[in-house]
Amino acid sequence: MSERVIIFDTTLRDGEQSPGASMNSAEKLRLAGQLERLGVDVIEAGFPAASEGDFEAVSQIAGRLKRCETAGLARAAKADIDRAWQAVRHAARPRLHTFIATSDIHLQYKLRMDREQVLQAAVEAVRYARSLTDNVEFSAEDGSRSDRDFLCRVFEAAIAAGAATVNLPDTVGYAVPDEFGELVHYIRRHTPNIHRAVLSVHCHNDLGLATANTLAAIRAGARQAEVTINGIGERAGNTSLEEVVMALATRATRLGVGTGIHTEFIYPTSRLVSMITGIMVQPNKAIVGANAFAHEAGIHQDGVLKNPMTYEIMKPESIGLSASQLVLGKHSGRHALRTQLKEMGYDLSDEELNLVFTKFKELADKKKQVMNEDLEAIVTEGILRTADVFVLDYLHATAGTTVLPMASVRMKINGRLTQDAGYGNGPIDAAFNTIAKLTGTSSELMRFSISEVTVRLRENGLVALGKGADPDIITASAKAYINGLNRLEYLKTHPLQEAATV
Ligand code: KIV
Ligand code: ZN
């Protein structure tokens, strides 16, 4: 493979802007480690000026990453750039990413600046960032809807001021592939110093075209793709990493450029993002959806059994989806557990493994076979979730056609045991009512999904997702509800300040 596309992952920044996807610092740190293992080149860890929490998380990630570059986002303003630099300066390989909008509609209504002022602001921002590091990226927000010649002028000036990467965002997901590819060609032909920088693209999926647009741009010479795991992100999301990477790998002879991604970590990383954010992957999602490698029609199954290549363009193992899942039971030991967790992408410390092992044994006593989904739930509850205020200690619920549904609940709240009982329309309603009473909370139940036991709660404008798993549906539901309450508690103490322009 002669050429390589730089994979710039923005799951922790643009991905985190998905409604309800906010992650805490510990979760972000774990995900950053997994992204490094996956082999991404750059991790955009956050937008440090947006909030204290974002700053902290970016700073911690910067201190942790060894091989990947750590990028911090900043508006084209000195204060933002200073904040981003404070957060990433101690990284092994820091990058400053500064941006300003270039489309007339953004200039007129959002920035209230004219083109010359924007050009000047871009140059000053890049020059200032460049005084701090030689690894500066400049983005022209809403670039795809900008006047082409003005866009080229801004890129030329940004490169002259020291930008090593210039990024073309399709901020509102408006572009179509031939047009976007043509725009990349245009920029390459009309920006005299473009050969001195890497040309990057950043697409949103409002028309479902983010991957197609990114591939068209790569065909036209872009050499950095900005992506997120599972395509999560603002509104309809961003270009999904797994789609771009697997398209480049599967159609290598046609597309002719590769990436440094270890594709066998794609599936575990996708699961981790889904677990942490609570955003489920749609079953028919390309590459990582539950049905992506499932063959239903008899004629397809027959063909796949004779030769997988009849209907499979990729091997499931190439994305880390092992064909056979090792079933663990109560006789399985620590070594088998560690091996299975590693295969699933969880590289745990000895202390974490001990914790998971204890919970695994408890579950194996109740349930004959412990499946990967059970292990994921144990890891999510025991390791990925930190410092819960509310913990379920005991639950007993009654239901039936002739009894009044009732629940008795004992909980640990801030370390103190407390218990109560209450009624409801059914056992789950009774459990939720009692938990709400015990915790003194008043969230509104916005969603309740039985299959995955996911809840979405809203309290005073704050929205949080909760997930829970247990062989008993009522206990699993109560755990999901409590997890949602814990996430609300976290949001109350870590208010996310709105990023004004992103
Ligand atoms: O979509 C967008 O324009 C962005 C920029 C900040 C790169 O996310
Ligand atoms: Zn974006």
Side-chain angles (χ1 to χ4, degrees):
M1 189 71 57
S2 52
E3 280 201 77
R4 193 150 109 59
V5 175
I6 295 166
I7 297 295
F8 176 114
D9 183 279
T10 183
T11 308
L12 289 163
R13 199 276 299 171
D14 226 346
E16 213 220 4
Q17 290 175 212
S18 306
S22 67
M23 309 171 223
N24 65 37
S25 297
E27 291 167 339
K28 286 183 178 180
L29 210 55
R30 182 169 292 274
L31 181 53
Q34 180 66 17
L35 291 169
E36 185 159 60
R37 207 166 302 137
L38 177 65
V40 309
D41 300 287
V42 187
I43 293 178
E44 185 161 59
F47 185 6
S51 72
E52 206 41 59
D54 241 31
F55 176 87
E56 260 316 305
V58 176
S59 175
Q60 285 180 21
I61 291 168
R64 180 71 65 89
L65 296 177
K66 295 185 182 73
R67 189 196 53 79
C68 287
E69 291 180 26
T70 312
L73 184 68
R75 283 165 291 199
K78 188 172 176 295
D80 261 38
I81 296 170
D82 280 334
R83 196 78 180 129
W85 183 239
Q86 276 169 26
V88 300
R89 61 181 303 168
H90 54 287
R93 303 177 67 197
R95 177 185 288 211
L96 282 175
H97 179 192
T98 185
F99 73 97
I100 192 164
T102 50
S103 67
D104 287 337
I105 192 157
H106 277 234
L107 265 61
Q108 190 180 342
Y109 295 104
K110 189 182 80 174
L111 298 176
R112 298 186 198 287
M113 291 164 83
D114 64 26
R115 288 186 181 175
E116 294 317 307
Q117 288 171 317
V118 164
L119 184 87
Q120 188 62 26
V123 168
E124 277 170 18
V126 172
R127 195 171 288 144
Y128 183 59
R130 180 59 199 256
S131 74
L132 304 168
T133 172
D134 57 8
N135 192 359
V136 176
E137 170 167 341
F138 169 75
S139 284
E141 191 191 7
D142 207 19
S144 59
R145 293 194 303 168
S146 302
D147 176 85
R148 289 181 166 202
D149 293 319
F150 178 58
L151 182 64
C152 293
R153 270 184 68 210
V154 175
F155 277 165
E156 182 184 357
I159 295 167
T165 304
V166 285
N167 181 39
L168 168 66
D170 182 26
T171 304
V172 290
Y174 182 72
V176 293
D178 60 336
E179 169 194 43
F180 198 60
E182 214 272 300
L183 178 58
V184 168
H185 271 304
Y186 191 89
I187 291 166
R188 292 183 67 209
R189 277 200 312 273
H190 293 88
T191 309
N193 53 3
I194 194 73
H195 57 280
R196 283 171 37 199
V198 174
L199 179 53
S200 167
V201 288
H202 172 115
C203 298
H204 280 267
N205 205 29
D206 298 68
L207 293 172
L209 294 171
T211 298
N213 285 337
T214 300
L215 291 174
I218 291 170
R219 293 280 279 166
R223 284 297 174 264
Q224 175 174 284
E226 301 200 349
V227 292
T228 62
I229 301 292
N230 298 342
I232 65 167
E234 188 84 42
R235 308 182 308 279
N238 288 56
T239 307
S240 95
L241 178 145
E242 60 277 8
E243 292 175 13
V244 170
V245 167
M246 290 314 288
L248 293 177
T250 307
R251 303 303 311 275
T253 43
R254 180 163 182 91
L255 300 175
V257 279
T259 70
I261 295 296
H262 306 297
T263 61
E264 66 281 10
F265 288 125
I266 284 181
Y267 187 70
T269 311
S270 159
R271 294 295 305 162
L272 184 65
V273 168
S274 175
M275 284 285 145
I276 287 178
T277 59
I279 300 176
M280 277 171 259
V281 174
Q282 73 193 62
N284 59 322
K285 164 83 178 64
I287 320 293
V288 291
N291 295 346
F293 291 92
H295 302 277
E296 184 67 23
I299 193 167
H300 287 205
Q301 289 175 351
D302 181 56
V304 169
L305 286 174
K306 287 177 177 145
N307 182 345
M309 296 306 278
T310 49
Y311 285 100
E312 261 177 21
I313 58 166
M314 297 164 274
K315 287 193 193 334
E317 306 87 74
S318 66
I319 62 151
L321 197 58
S322 48
S324 62
Q325 89 158 339
L326 187 66
V327 179
L328 299 176
K330 64 179 183 184
H331 300 298
S332 306
R334 218 172 278 261
H335 181 69
L337 181 67
R338 188 190 277 285
T339 310
Q340 185 65 2
L341 288 169
K342 243 201 173 127
E343 272 214 358
M344 291 163 64
Y346 299 115
D347 205 359
L348 304 185
S349 66
D350 288 345
E351 199 187 326
E352 288 171 335
L353 185 76
N354 285 344
L355 213 143
V356 173
F357 189 68
T358 310
K359 299 238 173 230
F360 157 73
K361 283 285 176 187
E362 279 168 22
L363 185 63
D365 271 342
K366 292 190 213 165
K367 207 170 176 258
K368 259 203 180 124
Q369 296 182 330
V370 178
M371 315 299 280
N372 285 358
E373 299 76 54
D374 299 314
L375 291 182
E376 267 176 354
I378 293 174
V379 172
T380 308
E381 285 183 12
I383 308 291
L384 303 181
R385 288 178 191 159
T386 48
D388 283 351
V389 179
F390 308 127
V391 179
L392 180 68
D393 188 58
Y394 162 90
L395 168 75
H396 178 80
T398 51
T401 49
T402 53
V403 292
L404 192 59
M406 191 190 149
S408 310
V409 182
R410 190 167 60 217
M411 294 185 68
K412 228 184 229 160
I413 300 179
N414 281 322
R416 271 193 49 238
L417 273 180
T418 168
Q419 66 183 57
D420 209 334
Y423 298 98
N425 291 331
I428 294 171
D429 193 39
F432 284 9
N433 288 343
T434 312
I435 292 167
K437 201 161 32 146
L438 279 171
T439 55
T441 54
S442 55
S443 61
E444 173 196 349
L445 183 65
M446 290 167 67
R447 193 178 84 191
F448 177 74
S449 146
I450 290 280
S451 56
E452 294 259 351
V453 193
T454 304
V455 296
R456 188 190 292 271
L457 305 177
R458 181 165 52 204
E459 190 177 9
N460 296 333
L462 297 172
V463 175
L465 284 160
K467 285 187 101 181
D470 193 275
D472 177 324
I473 185 68
I474 297 172
T475 309
S477 306
K479 285 183 175 176
Y481 184 60
I482 292 169
N483 175 240
L485 293 180
N486 278 310
R487 286 179 170 261
L488 279 178
E489 284 308 298
Y490 180 82
L491 290 178
K492 283 181 206 166
T493 47
H494 298 77
L496 292 170
Q497 282 167 26
E498 281 259 283
T501 57
V502 184

